[in-house]
Amino acid sequence: MCYGFDGDAALRRSVTDRRSLLRGSLAAVAGLGLAASGVGATAATAGGQHGHGRRPVPPGKISIQLWTMRDALQGSPGYDATLKQLARIGYPRVELALGYFGRTAAELRRFLDQIGIKASSSHDGISENADALRQKIQNAVTLGQSYLVVPYLYSENADDWKRWAQQMNVEAAAAARAGLRYGYHNHAHEFTIDLGGGKRPWDILTAELDPRLVHLEVDIYWAVTGGINSGDGVADPEGFTLDVIRRAPQRVLQYHVKDRSAVDGDMADLGTGTIDFARIFRGHQVQEYIVENDTPDVTPQQTAEIGYRYLRRLRF
C-alpha cells in the first residue's frame, strides 16, 4: 500500500482553508428575505423548475450532508434531536460528517434504524495507514453505507494530486471488496489552480483516478463557482458544470445540491439563488441528491426543511 503522504493532515489543513474561505464571504441574506425580494425567482424563471417538467427527484434519493447541521449537532438541540427532526422533515438518508458523537458505529446504526434514517454515505479523509483504512471501511459496513467520499484536498503541486489519486485508487479497491463505492467531492479550486502546462487539479484527478473504482460526488455550487472564477463558465455556469460531468471518465453518482446567491456569490438555501438545477438534473441523474449549505441562511433546521421541500417540488 502507498501511504507515504499524510492524507489526514492534508484534510485538516484543507478544512481550515475552507473555513477561512467561508468566514471571508459576506453574510448570507436570510432565505425568506431573499425569496420575498424576488431573488428566488431568478432560478425558478431560468429553469422553469416547479410544475413545468415531467420528473420529480425520487424522494428516496434525497439526503442531507450533516456538515450543514453542525451548529445544531454540536450545540442546541443536539445530535439526537437534530437527527430526529431530519426524519420528521422526511429525509430518508444522511451523509455523515464530524464523527459519531460519542457512539460506536454499531450504536449509531441502532439509533438511526430506530428513527428511520439510513447513513448511506460519509465524508472521510484519506487514511493515514492501512489500519485506519480497515477501520474506516468496517465502520461504513457496520453503518450500512453505500458510499465513502473524500471531501476535500488542496495543493498547488501537481505531484500531490497524483499521489492522492494513487492513494484513493488503493483505498477504492479495498472499499470495493467490502461492497462500498468510493468517491471524491470537488470544490472550486480543482478548476482554478494552474498547475503548469495547462493542467488543473481536476484534469489530473480525472486522468489518474481509476474509473472502475472511483466515482465523483459533484458539488454543483462549487462546480458553478469554479467555472465562474476560472472564466471558463462565466457565460454558462450550468453548461460548464454539465461539461465537467460528461467529460469525466468517472461516473457521477452523487450531487451536493446548494444554491448560489445572486447578491454576493455565497452559498444560499435551495430555490433562493441563481442555479438552474432542473437543467443540470435533466442532463444527468444520480443516485443521491444531497442537500447542503455550509452557511445556512436562517437556521440549520430551516435550511434542511427548505432544501427537502425544494427537491420534493422540483420537476425536470
Side-chain angles (χ1 to χ4, degrees):
M1 286 195 177
C2 175
Y3 284 102
F5 195 87
D6 188 346
D8 277 0
L11 178 62
R12 287 192 297 272
R13 183 172 65 250
S14 297
V15 168
T16 300
D17 292 341
R18 172 177 176 167
R19 288 172 178 164
S20 297
L21 171 65
L22 295 176
R23 282 197 299 269
S25 301
L26 295 175
V29 179
L32 296 179
L34 280 171
S37 67
V39 174
T42 304
T45 302
Q49 294 194 13
H50 295 299
H52 299 293
R54 295 172 296 171
R55 284 172 285 188
V57 175
K61 294 184 176 182
I62 297 175
S63 182
I64 186 167
Q65 165 49 242
L66 290 186
W67 177 257
T68 302
M69 309 301 295
R70 63 193 180 280
D71 289 345
L73 297 173
Q74 296 170 333
S76 177
Y79 192 90
D80 288 18
T82 299
L83 268 292
K84 289 176 182 177
Q85 186 172 20
L86 293 176
R88 286 194 296 271
I89 290 170
Y91 283 99
R93 52 177 74 187
V94 296
E95 184 172 56
L96 298 176
L98 303 168
Y100 301 160
F101 285 73
R103 288 183 168 97
T104 64
E107 290 168 341
L108 181 57
R109 172 68 181 271
R110 286 194 291 272
F111 169 68
L112 294 176
D113 285 348
Q114 289 169 3
I115 64 173
I117 281 185
K118 177 182 176 64
S120 56
S121 184
S122 64
H123 274 191
D124 296 277
I126 296 173
S127 301
E128 61 185 4
N129 54 51
D131 287 340
L133 174 60
R134 279 192 290 270
Q135 186 63 60
K136 178 170 67 179
I137 290 173
Q138 182 56 57
N139 286 345
V141 169
T142 298
L143 283 158
Q145 292 177 209
S146 301
Y147 306 102
L148 283 169
V149 180
V150 175
Y152 190 95
L153 295 168
Y154 184 96
S155 175
E156 298 178 15
N157 186 314
D159 288 340
D160 287 342
W161 291 99
K162 292 177 182 178
R163 192 174 299 115
W164 282 327
Q166 182 183 18
Q167 290 179 249
M168 284 189 278
N169 286 337
V170 171
E171 294 207 356
R177 289 192 290 272
L180 298 165
R181 295 300 307 253
Y182 187 98
Y184 180 76
H185 167 273
N186 67 281
H187 287 71
H189 60 265
E190 289 91 342
F191 309 107
T192 61
I193 295 174
D194 183 0
L195 297 174
K199 297 292 185 181
R200 295 173 180 173
W202 193 253
D203 301 321
I204 291 178
L205 277 179
T206 55
E208 298 286 338
L209 292 174
D210 188 338
R212 298 168 300 178
L213 297 171
V214 181
H215 74 277
L216 301 173
E217 178 181 75
V218 167
D219 187 302
I220 294 172
Y221 167 86
W222 284 121
V224 164
T225 299
I228 292 170
N229 291 348
S230 69
D232 296 334
V234 173
D236 185 5
E238 289 86 358
F240 173 85
T241 300
L242 285 169
D243 284 345
V244 164
I245 292 166
R246 291 165 178 161
R247 292 173 180 174
Q250 295 75 23
R251 296 174 64 196
V252 176
L253 299 180
Q254 298 169 286
Y255 281 144
H256 270 200
V257 189
K258 57 176 175 261
D259 221 333
R260 192 174 196 271
S261 169
V263 177
D264 56 18
D266 198 2
M267 300 168 195
D269 287 340
L270 292 184
T272 69
T274 62
I275 297 177
D276 185 350
F277 292 106
R279 178 184 171 192
I280 294 171
F281 294 174
R282 280 196 302 271
H284 183 82
Q285 298 174 58
V286 293
Q287 295 302 308
E288 284 197 320
Y289 299 78
I290 304 169
V291 172
E292 187 182 38
N293 185 351
D294 297 26
T295 57
D297 292 356
V298 187
T299 68
Q301 294 91 331
Q302 287 171 299
T303 285
E305 185 154 9
I306 290 167
Y308 181 79
R309 303 303 174 204
Y310 176 86
L311 287 182
R312 290 289 283 118
R313 293 194 304 270
L314 182 68
R315 297 293 184 271
F316 58 93

